[in-house]
Amino acid sequence: MQLSTPDFIVISLFFVLMLVIGLWSMARNKTAEDYFVASGQLPWWLSGISHHVSGYSGAVFVAYASLAYTHGFSIYVWWAFTIGITVLLSARLFPVLWVRLRKRLQIQSPLEYLTVRYNLLTQQIMAWSGVLLKLFDVGAKWTAIAVLLNVFTGLPLIYGILISGGVSLIYVTFGGLWAVIITDFAQFIVQILAGLIMLVMVVRHLGGWNEILTFWNDLPEGNSQPFNSPYTVGFALAFLCINFLSYNGGTWNLATRYISSPDETQAKRAAYLSGSLYLIWPLILFLPMWAAPLILPALEDPSQSYGLLTLKLLPAGLVGLVVASLFANTMTMTSSDINTISAVLTRDILPVLSKRLKEKRASLVVARATTFIFTLMTLVVASQNERFGGVFGLIVTWFGALVGPIAVPMLLGMLPVFRHCGPSAAIGSIAAGFVTFIVTKNIEIASLALAVALPLIVSLSVFIGLGLLNRNRPISDAVSGLLKSLEHEG
């Protein structure tokens, strides 16, 4: 055991805080609308911070820390920078449309409007596909925090998965979105404190603040460059497109942040805050990871670099704070995902499977039950992570490649320019994207950028192509009315 008593005290206090927030939030939930979208009363600054921190998890300190160790600055360019730019540039578009959808159709799930926009079959295909995708994505994040726990304590991965997942399961099941949002804010504060402490300690080890500008020259070749193969310009452009779809709502929990905003102005402010944080904060957070090759040279397993860096540089107590921040990052993203998936299951899938459940779609009991069951399923996936390519394989390869085909019809379906893209275009684009992903997984493609981007490219091409073929067909009054209502503020 490498953690000291003060470290365990700090971590325990963090968990107690999460439990208190969950219990406090439980009292605020009177209906399923409270549980899933905070009754549309989420302040912009809380929404913006939650949108931002929901993009982090323990995977940042495992898979991405490994890439920062081996490939340097390029991780900022293709990950954080592309997210920040896409969120800022689209702040006046998709955040506004999500708010209008909640007000026009009283949606609580990002997929509820798809029955009107396309049809029930399309909505169900997208719902089931997205839920299955999130099983892998959330499972990867439990595995990431388990890897870090193994570094700090020697705890076997399976126990780390059960601990991290179990803690989140308790507070998100009882507290709903309010618990997620308030804990997001608390975890953001913890993340800031831990990140700044790590930065100061690394700078001291390097020899002072002047070294921030000079240590890059001592890094392995290519680590100081914005693009370092295989993370090339093409890979960054591929993730720019993927992140455009993902962070504007293709990743459903991020859509929920906008849906829960009181009005369009606050939704836009939330997007501006989140996008700005993505451009600034990762530069501070990742600097210790970029400097790690100088402090911990020739590591056999770079995924352990951040954990080993913490143990090497920080005194007792502060190590516990950093470990708490790692839990915070994972719990922020996973609890956010789980809450939104519960909304999709409760509002979109279960009512189709059972008339009895349709009558109870506003029930807090059903909402909490789906939250609990889905969380357990993600823990099963996490325990089998090596079957899917490990943490990096799950997050970058699986999620990066599959989020596009699901997001294309959902986001582009809000825009009048794609009004002729009906159910056949939506289903066709999803199927084509998934088939392309299967093909790319089973043949060797020299370019990582092409392997990640190809499912999105094919999906987008099919969606637009079938829309053009149907351009002479009449549009239903329901679709026409929906798109017209989204064009105007109200």
Side-chain angles (χ1 to χ4, degrees):
M1 298 290 287
Q2 302 185 67
L3 295 180
S4 66
T5 299
D7 295 322
F8 281 111
I9 292 174
V10 170
I11 296 169
S12 299
L13 289 174
F14 170 76
F15 287 146
V16 169
L17 174 63
M18 296 301 101
L19 181 60
V20 169
I21 291 174
L23 294 174
W24 175 84
S25 302
M26 182 178 177
R28 300 197 62 163
N29 293 316
K30 306 300 183 185
T31 66
E33 186 180 16
D34 296 329
Y35 191 84
F36 291 133
V37 294
S39 296
Q41 297 301 314
L42 197 60
W44 68 270
W45 57 275
L46 270 178
S47 178
I49 289 174
S50 180
H51 186 280
H52 175 73
V53 298
S54 292
Y56 294 80
S57 73
V60 170
F61 302 92
V62 177
Y64 290 1
S66 176
L67 295 181
Y69 187 96
T70 57
H71 291 79
F73 189 73
S74 61
I75 183 70
Y76 171 79
V77 176
W78 68 258
W79 181 65
F81 182 78
T82 58
I83 295 173
I85 289 297
T86 58
V87 172
L88 289 174
L89 291 179
S90 55
R92 302 179 67 85
L93 179 59
F94 288 109
V96 168
L97 293 176
W98 284 119
V99 173
R100 290 178 183 174
L101 279 172
R102 178 179 60 79
K103 291 186 174 182
R104 305 308 197 265
L105 301 181
Q106 288 75 52
I107 66 169
Q108 296 176 27
S109 151
L111 303 187
E112 282 190 75
Y113 94 98
L114 296 175
T115 304
V116 177
R117 176 59 181 85
Y118 299 112
N119 57 27
L120 180 61
L121 175 62
T122 305
Q123 184 213 37
Q124 288 298 295
I125 290 174
M126 293 179 68
W128 282 99
S129 301
V131 168
L132 292 174
L133 173 58
K134 271 300 174 183
L135 278 175
F136 293 107
D137 186 45
V138 175
K141 292 155 190 169
W142 298 138
T143 306
I145 195 64
V147 170
L148 290 167
L149 275 177
N150 177 261
V151 173
F152 288 112
T153 68
L155 196 69
L157 290 186
I158 185 63
Y159 294 114
I161 289 168
L162 293 176
I163 290 172
S164 59
V167 171
S168 292
L169 185 150
I170 293 171
Y171 83 78
V172 73
T173 297
F174 288 106
L177 185 64
W178 274 115
V180 172
I181 296 300
I182 302 301
T183 52
D184 280 357
F185 180 73
Q187 291 161 1
F188 179 64
I189 300 301
V190 173
Q191 181 191 120
I192 293 290
L193 291 174
L196 291 176
I197 289 169
M198 277 294 293
L199 174 67
V200 171
M201 299 305 291
V202 166
V203 167
R204 286 180 60 185
H205 186 88
L206 293 175
W209 292 100
N210 291 335
E211 293 298 318
I212 289 181
L213 300 177
T214 60
F215 83 89
W216 301 94
N217 299 324
D218 301 322
L219 292 176
E221 184 179 359
N223 275 32
S224 60
Q225 301 302 312
F227 305 103
N228 191 359
S229 183
Y231 308 106
T232 59
V233 174
F235 185 85
L237 290 175
F239 255 79
L240 181 72
C241 298
I242 290 170
N243 286 334
F244 175 82
L245 294 170
S246 175
Y247 284 80
N248 280 303
T251 300
W252 299 341
N253 64 296
L254 300 178
T256 301
R257 300 303 173 271
Y258 298 138
I259 293 171
S260 304
S261 298
D263 54 55
E264 297 168 17
T265 300
Q266 295 213 40
K268 288 185 284 188
R269 288 177 180 173
Y272 285 130
L273 175 58
S274 178
S276 299
L277 287 172
Y278 267 112
L279 295 181
I280 298 169
W281 176 240
L283 291 172
I284 299 171
L285 185 67
F286 274 90
L287 193 138
M289 304 181 204
W290 291 323
L294 303 179
I295 303 171
L296 302 168
L299 280 182
E300 291 186 8
D301 185 0
S303 69
Q304 295 185 348
S305 59
Y306 196 83
L308 295 174
L309 203 64
T310 302
L311 291 171
K312 181 179 179 68
L313 297 179
L314 298 186
L318 291 182
V319 174
L321 180 63
V322 171
V323 175
S325 77
L326 302 181
F327 269 108
N329 281 287
T330 300
M331 292 163 66
T332 289
M333 182 180 271
T334 52
S335 60
S336 177
D337 286 334
I338 290 166
N339 178 261
T340 301
I341 292 298
S342 176
V344 172
L345 289 167
T346 304
R347 304 283 299 182
D348 302 315
I349 292 179
L350 295 181
V352 175
L353 299 179
S354 168
K355 291 183 178 180
R356 181 181 301 176
L357 290 174
K358 185 174 183 179
E359 297 170 358
K360 297 182 179 180
R361 65 189 302 176
S363 167
L364 274 176
V365 174
V366 174
R368 287 179 172 135
T370 55
T371 300
F372 185 86
I373 293 170
F374 179 78
T375 304
L376 288 181
M377 293 174 67
T378 64
L379 298 180
V380 173
V381 170
S383 69
Q384 303 296 316
N385 75 92
E386 290 302 328
R387 294 175 178 265
F388 306 106
V391 176
F392 182 79
L394 279 169
I395 291 175
V396 174
T397 306
W398 283 75
F399 183 72
L402 290 177
V403 70
I406 295 175
V408 164
M410 185 169 73
L411 289 182
L412 300 190
M414 301 182 199
L415 306 178
V417 68
F418 298 106
R419 60 172 57 88
H420 292 288
C421 298
S424 60
I427 295 173
S429 67
I430 295 170
F434 281 11
V435 169
T436 305
F437 171 72
I438 293 171
V439 172
T440 58
K441 286 290 291 179
N442 289 281
I443 63 173
E444 186 174 343
I445 297 180
S447 169
L448 180 60
L450 185 60
V452 171
L454 203 55
L456 172 58
I457 293 172
V458 171
S459 181
L460 187 60
S461 300
V462 170
F463 186 76
I464 295 174
L466 290 178
L468 290 174
L469 290 176
N470 293 330
R471 64 185 182 276
N472 294 323
R473 294 185 180 180
I475 303 170
S476 70
D477 292 339
V479 173
S480 180
L482 172 65
L483 294 176
K484 181 174 288 187
S485 72
L486 294 179
E487 290 184 283
H488 305 288
E489 184 175 356

